[in-house]
Amino acid sequence: MTFKILSLDGGGIRGVISVRIIQEIEQQIQKLKGQSLNEYFDLISGTSTGALTTAALAVGMNTNQIMNIYKHETQEIFPYRSRLCPERLPLIAKCGISAPKFSNEGLINVIKRYLIKNNIPIKMKDVVKPYILMVAYNMSTEEPTFFVNKDCQDSLWYSDIPLWEICVCSASAPTYFPPYELKDKGESYAYVDGGVAANNPTLAAVSHAIKLGYKLEEISVISIGTGKNTKTYKFTEIVDWGLADWAIPLFSVILNAQGKTDNLLSEQILGFYNTSIYLRLQFNLNKISNSFDDARPENIRKLIEAAESFLDYDKVNYIKINNQPNHISVKSAIAKFITNY
């Protein structure tokens, strides 16, 4: 029996791309299997904005509800565009000129709105099905943390931590938000965005499935990106870059590098078995803004339209036959995956 994983990349506001693609997957699961998305997938993993979507799905929200959050509430998370705007002055007064672009108040408020029920926070241990995994990076120990709701052990040290706090840990992107202090059992840890460790959490999810007792050849994955940054750099452009020049693009470079590395390794590892499928759904943003924090309605609309164009017109590599790519339409690939598994 195939262990099915849905893996969701980080990418800030560009997570709306993933949600639009998941809407198509959800519709096809209902049509072809008569199941909900949570019933169909055995494990959902996410990093940063992907962790927020993972948590929302895990507590029973459908993709239309999640889409409405991106459309109508992300401006509370990303309330302005410029680091020089007057609204940022209180943050600069508090943290200095090198303060992050945003406070995390809006991020926390939006997440709490959906992960606290009747004034009681939903905890990791409250999520029974599916398995979930969310990635964050612990600056206090300089190690990634894979927050999961089920392990091969009976007890997890973070099982009592509210789900909303884990989401904030995973989404606290350096330069955009301050680190998040996670307190548990008398200890204090400083967490930043999981994209520092694994912006594409596929390998983390596959590793966790193996830890749960599944064989690699039993695992198949749908991995969804948030659009590829097409910006490239010539040697002459960056040869003289110093600390100030690297400060802003560095986090984006790290996320791109992490995502592409995980994608390549996942394809190679899962591609070794004919019974495993690694379906990567990702496309170039081209002329669309690759900003992580542009929550203006017109930009969100463009990102959704780009995702819809990808679903309608693009082709993806579904399987390899004699080492030759087999390219089929995105919607056909999704339907084939769901039908076969």
Side-chain angles (χ1 to χ4, degrees), residues 263-322:
N263 178 55
L264 177 63
L265 294 176
S266 298
E267 190 174 56
Q268 291 176 344
I269 292 170
L270 290 170
F272 184 79
Y273 294 96
N274 290 331
T275 54
S276 296
I277 293 296
Y278 175 61
L279 178 58
R280 176 66 170 169
L281 303 180
Q282 174 75 302
F283 61 90
N284 291 332
L285 289 173
N286 296 322
K287 296 181 180 180
I288 303 171
S289 170
N290 58 32
S291 170
F292 297 123
D293 62 340
D294 187 352
R296 294 175 298 174
E298 61 265 34
N299 186 58
I300 292 175
R301 176 182 56 78
K302 289 178 181 178
L303 292 171
I304 294 171
E305 289 175 351
E308 290 173 345
S309 178
F310 170 69
L311 288 168
D312 289 335
Y313 302 112
D314 281 26
K315 293 186 177 182
V316 291
N317 182 22
Y318 182 72
I319 58 174
K320 291 184 178 180
I321 301 174
N322 298 324

Side-chain angles (χ1 to χ4, degrees), residues 8 96 131 157 159 200 228 263 267 278:
L8 308 175
Y131 296 123
W157 74 268
S159 62
N200 174 351
K228 287 190 287 187
N263 178 55
E267 190 174 56
Y278 175 61

Side-chain angles (χ1 to χ4, degrees), residues 108 111-112 115-116 121-122 161-169 180:
I108 291 171
I111 295 174
K112 277 185 170 181
L115 298 179
I116 294 180
I122 301 172
I161 296 176
L163 200 56
W164 73 262
E165 285 198 86
I166 294 173
C167 287
V168 177
C169 288
Y180 184 75

Side-chain angles (χ1 to χ4, degrees), residues 153-199:
Q153 301 173 352
D154 292 332
S155 178
L156 296 170
W157 74 268
Y158 42 75
S159 62
D160 282 324
I161 296 176
L163 200 56
W164 73 262
E165 285 198 86
I166 294 173
C167 287
V168 177
C169 288
S170 184
S172 293
T175 76
Y176 291 91
F177 299 109
Y180 184 75
E181 182 184 21
L182 182 64
K183 296 180 180 180
D184 187 67
K185 297 179 174 63
E187 300 290 338
S188 171
Y189 302 95
Y191 272 97
V192 298
D193 196 290
V196 171
N199 198 52

Side-chain angles (χ1 to χ4, degrees), residues 7-41:
S7 179
L8 308 175
D9 284 18
I13 194 63
R14 284 159 37 190
V16 73
I17 289 173
S18 297
V19 176
R20 180 61 191 89
I21 294 172
I22 300 169
Q23 283 183 316
E24 176 65 27
I25 294 171
E26 183 178 56
Q27 290 169 8
Q28 294 216 35
I29 289 172
Q30 292 171 346
K31 176 182 176 181
L32 297 172
K33 296 289 187 176
Q35 295 177 304
S36 69
L37 191 141
N38 282 359
E39 292 171 328
Y40 177 77
F41 284 104

